[in-house]
Each structure stands twice: as C-alpha cells, then as structure tokens.
C-alpha cells in the first residue's frame, strides 16, 4: 500500500550541502583545543550564515515552553462550570419572581435553597443535583454543566472529543460507554497476554471512528492512549489540592452519572499498568491568566512533554547523540514547518561531514581530522594568507608560487589561473580512464587536465619553531600559531615538495611534531620556554639535509627560561638565567655557521623580549618581524618565500617580503 505525506525537505532546488565553511569553523575549533567530534557539534550548535543552528532551535523550544506556563492556568473548566451555574441560578431567581401562581411557602423554600448554596462550585453543583427547576433556561444551563464535564473528561483522554460530543444524543453517549467498556476489556485481555491481532482488528472495526490516528496494532493504540492519559494525570498533579477536590466531586456529575468516570478510571489504571514508563507523577506550575479546560490543559501538558523531549534531542548531551534523533514531526508541530526544514538541513550537514572523509575514527574510537581535511583546511588558510599579503602589497595570488625554475617531475590537477605546461600523457590517460567508467561521457573534461610542477633550483631545509609555553595560551596566541604552521605546511607540501619542513614546538621542552599532532595540540600550561632544545632539534634537521639551504623560522613571545642539561634533564629558571641564555646563543651560532637564514617572529610588546630577539638576530645576520596576530601567517609565509635562495624566487616573490613598507622591524 502506498502512503503519501507533505514534502518536508525544504527547497528542492537548493544547492547541495557546502562543507567548506563548516570545515573552516571545525578546523578553527580543533586548533583551539576541541576534539573534532566536539568541534563538529559546536558548529552544528552555532549554525552559519545560511543555516539556523541547534542553539537557536533550542531557544525557540524553551521560549514556547515558558510561554505555555506563563500564559495559562488550569481553571478553565471550573470557570465554565461557574459561569453556567451562575446563569442557571440567575434564570431560576427570575422565574421564581415572575411565577405568581407559585405557593409563597414553596417560593421561600426554593429561594432559601439558592441563597444557601455552597460557595464551592463543585459542592453547589452537587447540592442542585436533585433540585426541581422551575425555569426551562435554568434547567438547560444546569444540564450543560453535566454535558460539559462529560465532554471535558473524554477530551482529556481522547483529543477532540469535546467538540465531537457537542450536542450529542443519548445514543452518542451510549456509544461512548460501549467503546470504553470494550476498550477496557481489550486492555485487560492484553495485560493477561490473551489477546490476538484479530481482537484488535475487531475492536477497530467497531470503534475505529473514535481513533483518528488509526493505530495498526495494540501497541500503537497503547502508546497513543497512555501518552494522553499520563498527561491528564500530570495535569491533575499540577492542580492545587482545592482544584483537585472540586474536580473529583464534579466528575461524578459527568453526563449525569458516575458511570463515565468509573470507566475512565478503569482505563487509566489499565494504561498505567501496561505503560509504567510514561511520566505519571510529574507536574507543572502554570501561572497565567488564560484558563485551560481539562482537554486543552491535557493537550498543553502533552505539548510540554514534547517540548521537553525536543529540548533533550536538540541538546545532544547524551551518549551516542546524533541529529537523526530529532523528531522532525514533533518539531514541526511545536515550532512550525520551517523549524523542521532547518533541523533536516543540519541532519544532512552532519551526515555529509561524516561521509565526506573529513573526519576519521581512530583506533580509540575518537574522531580526528583526516589528511583530506587537513589539506582542505590548509588551503583555506593559505588563501587567507595570500589575500593578506596581496592586500598589503598588491601582488598576485599565491597560486603562482613555483611557476619559475626547473620541472620537478610531479604533476597536479589544473587550477584556474595556472600557467604551467600541461602534462599531456597524464591528461589523456585521465580522460581514457574516465571514459572507461562512463562511455557516454565527453572525450575530455577540465578535471582531466594535469600540469607539470616546477620547483626552485635550490632546495631548502625549513625548521619552524613555535613557542608552546604558558604565555602563548594565556595571551590568545595559540590558534594563530597553529594556523601559521598549517598554512606553511600546506604551501610546502603542495608547491615546494622538494623542501624539507620540520615543525618543532618548544615549551618547557622541545618536540618534533607532525602537522596533525600540532593542529590537535591542547593548550599547555607548563611554564618554560626552551629555545635551546628547539634549536638543537632544528640543527639536527639541517644536518640531515647537507645539500639544502637551511631556513630557520622562530615564533615566540618570551625569552628563554629553560634549557637542556647534558644528562637530558630540563633546567628551568625565571627570570631567565645567564646559563639558559648562553645555551640558546650557542645553538643559534651553530645554525648560523651552517648558513641558516634566520627570522624571529616576536609576539607581544615586552621591551626585554624585543632587546633579546634583536640581539639574537644580529648575531646571525637574521631578521626580526613583529606582526599583529592576524598577520602572523602572512609574515611567516612571506619570510619563507623570501628566504628561498634561488634568484628566480627572489625576483618572483621579493616584493612580498615587504621591504620598505613598514612590515619588517628588525
């Protein structure tokens, strides 16, 4: 059997999910110390320019919940009963005053009964149960009370019954009583384990009109009824003791007989036994001025329960949480169709991120940024660096890097703006392979084209030393440092593959790191700046590449406060000890003797640090750059390009070094 429903997928002509912005944001959070899984969750919480996030949806859910409680109270049915009772008494008094044929003693007795009615609404209704009404209008108003109570009690358990049973006949009420009797027998049979599907089908064939949800089996029927019945119990729990007492008294007058309430109480007991996991004991604090009847109040309690479920789903704070857990139908009911469309877009984005290969689950079960994601993130950072450099000096884009010099033997995919020669054999081979998979395709596509890469005539051995001391984290320099390292790594791996790059972190001690390690490195709070150890590792890297031009790049915000002892132990002292300074100077001199082209990138305005860095740079004929944090990546990349020793590279990128433009300060 085919089933149809309203399309809820948003704009069918919308472009596919773009992961670029998501990956950039996730990468930023990862570099700030978040795990990739948490970074993805934070992005989904915030959303982006074109997408509402989970936080906004959660705010709307919380706002609707507050509005329900602040706007309503649970006195609606009692207010309607009081109005009908007042109307009945008023009409009866009018009739007594008009009826001249009525015996004076009888009139006095009736007026005394009306005058002495209890101020308690439920008690007054009960006291008038046997009253012989003289006014037809008064009798009708009083009968409406009993009809209203019956309809409200039914509406509590079966949504929509208040309207459906309006102006109901005795036959309609008899049909309801028969349905409740059969329903309770079915529930009790199910509780004993004696029911069959045929029993359910027979019940639905006889009473299906009372269940617009059209459940397909007994369990679906139980779920629907138990949720509503539990909400009715929570509404009762939410009332004051006086309200509950009056409601219990009034319920005996429903349809003029306690029979309805007896059947409903029996049904509630059966449902609670069959679905004990529902919230039968909760309550809410309504504090508004707009009264809700029993049915509407139960609906409000159901809405509150749905809103609580949605809040939990949107929080994603439980183990194994996925956006697929969000009930889009509930969200659409509570916040409208657009909210469901927004949530579906987030679900698709999450699935696309997991399926894209940008996140990989490690052996420990935790997600990590994949090499593919690192390349994509590095390219984005490199584009940012290029824009900053070209914006400052008005030069060409960074993709031109590597166009001069000798062919490296490597090829890569053609990109817009490339001027390198095509590699025809690989281009044709790509087209043949694609046609083999799809014979209907064109002979040549632009993605088939590969170009020949070129490289500088002189290779470089690059050591990037980045300070990971306490102050780098404390002063907000942690993420810019990582962005810089990743941008330089991407540039060298994609454009200068012949160069050997080593990333070295130095805090209390120094360590060689792969870019994936550095990108995921949490902020370190150990005190110590071991430039001596970092330079030892850099010099070892230079000695491994004797035929390459050494390039030393040092990013730091503090003077050395620790060094490595001959036995390998770390020695720390603050303020900096002369022995620590001497060890760092000795290793810098060793780098200078190997011909290392050295640049220090000084972060911060400490005068003592400035004097120290400038004196260190002068010893090896190096340079000092004091960039703003946002310009750190452009400064390091620009220095690297400037330190490439081949004349052709100096001609090609020399202007990027910023000479004479206030970029270099030392």
């Amino acid at each position: 059997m085919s089933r149809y429903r309203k399309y809820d997928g948003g704009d069918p002509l919308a472009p596919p999910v773009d992961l670029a912005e998501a990956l950039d944001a996730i990468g930023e959070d990862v570099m700030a110390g978040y795990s990739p899984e948490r970074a993805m969750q934070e992005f989904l919480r915030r959303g982006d320019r074109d997408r509402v996030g989970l936080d906004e949806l959660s705010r709307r859910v919380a706002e609707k919940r507050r509005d329900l409680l602040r706007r309503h109270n649970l006195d609606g049915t009692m207010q309607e009963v009081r109005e009908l009772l007042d109307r009945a008494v008023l009409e009866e008094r009018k009739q007594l005053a008009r009826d001249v044929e009525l015996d004076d003693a009888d009139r006095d007795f009736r007026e005394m009964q009306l005058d002495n009615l209890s101020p308690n609404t439920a008690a007054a209704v009960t006291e008038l149960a046997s009253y012989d009404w003289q006014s037809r209008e008064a009798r009708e108003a009083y009968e409406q009370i009993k009809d209203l109570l019956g309809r409200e009690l039914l509406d509590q358990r079966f949504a929509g019954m208040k309207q459906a049973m309006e102006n109901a006949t005795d036959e309609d009420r008899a049909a309801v009583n028969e349905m409740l009797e059969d329903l309770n027998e079915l529930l009790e049979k199910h509780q004993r384990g004696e029911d069959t599907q045929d029993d359910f089908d027979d019940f639905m064939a006889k009473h299906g009109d009372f269940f617009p949800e059209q459940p397909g089996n007994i369990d679906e029927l139980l779920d629907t009824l138990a949720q509503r019945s539990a909400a009715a119990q929570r509404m009762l729990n939410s009332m004051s003791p006086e309200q509950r007492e009056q409601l219990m008294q009034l319920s005996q007058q429903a349809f003029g007989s306690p029979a309805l309430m007896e059947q409903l109480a029996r049904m509630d007991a059966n449902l609670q036994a069959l679905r004990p996991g529902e919230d039968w004991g909760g309550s809410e604090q309504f504090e508004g001025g707009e009264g809700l009847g029993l049915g509407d109040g139960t609906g409000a309690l159901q809405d509150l329960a749905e809103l609580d479920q949605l809040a939990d789903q949107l929080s994603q704070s439980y183990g194994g949480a996925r956006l697929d857990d969000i009930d889009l139908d509930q969200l659409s009911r509570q916040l409208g169709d657009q909210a469901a469309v927004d949530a579906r877009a987030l679900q698709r984005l999450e699935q696309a991120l997991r399926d894209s290969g940008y996140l990989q689950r490690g052996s420990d079960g935790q997600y990590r940024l994949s090499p593919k994601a690192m390349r994509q993130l590095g390219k984005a950072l490199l584009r940012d660096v290029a824009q900053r450099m070209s914006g400052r000096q008005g030069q060409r884009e960074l993709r031109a890097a590597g166009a001069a010099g000798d062919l490296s033997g490597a090829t890569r995919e053609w990109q817009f703006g490339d001027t390198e020669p095509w590699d025809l054999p690989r281009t044709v081979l790509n087209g043949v392979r694609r046609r083999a998979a799809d014979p209907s395709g064109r002979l040549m596509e632009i993605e088939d084209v590969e170009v020949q890469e070129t490289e500088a005539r002189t290779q470089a051995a690059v050591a990037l030393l980045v300070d990971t001391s306490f102050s780098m984290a404390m002063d907000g320099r942690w993420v810019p440092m990582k962005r810089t390292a990743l941008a330089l790594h991407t540039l060298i791996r994609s454009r200068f593959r012949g160069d050997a790059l080593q990333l070295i972190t130095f805090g209390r001690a120094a360590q060689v790191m792969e870019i994936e390690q550095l990108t995921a490195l949490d902020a370190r709070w150990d005190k110590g700046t071991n430039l001596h150890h970092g330079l030892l590792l850099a010099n070892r890297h230079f000695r491994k590449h004797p035929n390459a031009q050494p390039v030393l790049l040092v990013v730091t915000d503090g003077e050395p406060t620790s060094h490595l002892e001959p036995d390998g132990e770390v020695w720390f002292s603050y303020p900096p000890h002369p022995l620590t300074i001497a060890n760092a100077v000795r290793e810098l001199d060793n780098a200078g003797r190997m011909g290392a082209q050295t640049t220090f990138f000084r972060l911060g305005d400490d005068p003592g640090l400035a004097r120290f860095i400038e004196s260190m740079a002068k010893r090896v004929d190096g340079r000092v750059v004091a960039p703003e944090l946002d310009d750190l990546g452009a400064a390091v990349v620009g220095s690297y390009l400037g330190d490439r020793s081949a004349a052709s590279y100096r001609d090609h990128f020399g202007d990027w070094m910023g000479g004479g433009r206030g970029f270099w300060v030392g």
Side-chain angles (χ1 to χ4, degrees), residues 400-414:
D406 298 326
L407 296 177
S408 67
T411 64
R412 60 175 173 79
E413 206 176 292
W414 178 87

Side-chain angles (χ1 to χ4, degrees), residues 499-513:
D499 287 359
L501 171 65
Q502 187 164 89
L503 301 174
I504 300 170
T505 64
F506 63 100
R508 194 176 187 89
Q511 180 182 357
V512 174
M513 283 194 176

Side-chain angles (χ1 to χ4, degrees), residues 461-519:
V462 185
L464 175 61
L465 277 64
V466 290
D467 190 342
T468 56
S469 63
F470 170 80
S471 58
M472 287 286 287
M474 182 178 65
D475 294 333
R477 295 161 184 157
W478 199 257
V479 173
M481 172 270 290
K482 289 184 178 184
R483 289 171 57 90
T484 297
L486 183 53
L488 182 62
H489 177 274
T490 302
L491 174 63
I492 292 177
R493 289 292 180 265
S494 62
R495 307 297 298 173
F496 300 102
R497 296 175 185 173
D499 287 359
L501 171 65
Q502 187 164 89
L503 301 174
I504 300 170
T505 64
F506 63 100
R508 194 176 187 89
Q511 180 182 357
V512 174
M513 283 194 176
E514 296 298 325
I515 188 60
E516 293 82 7
Q517 291 176 279
L518 179 58
T519 302

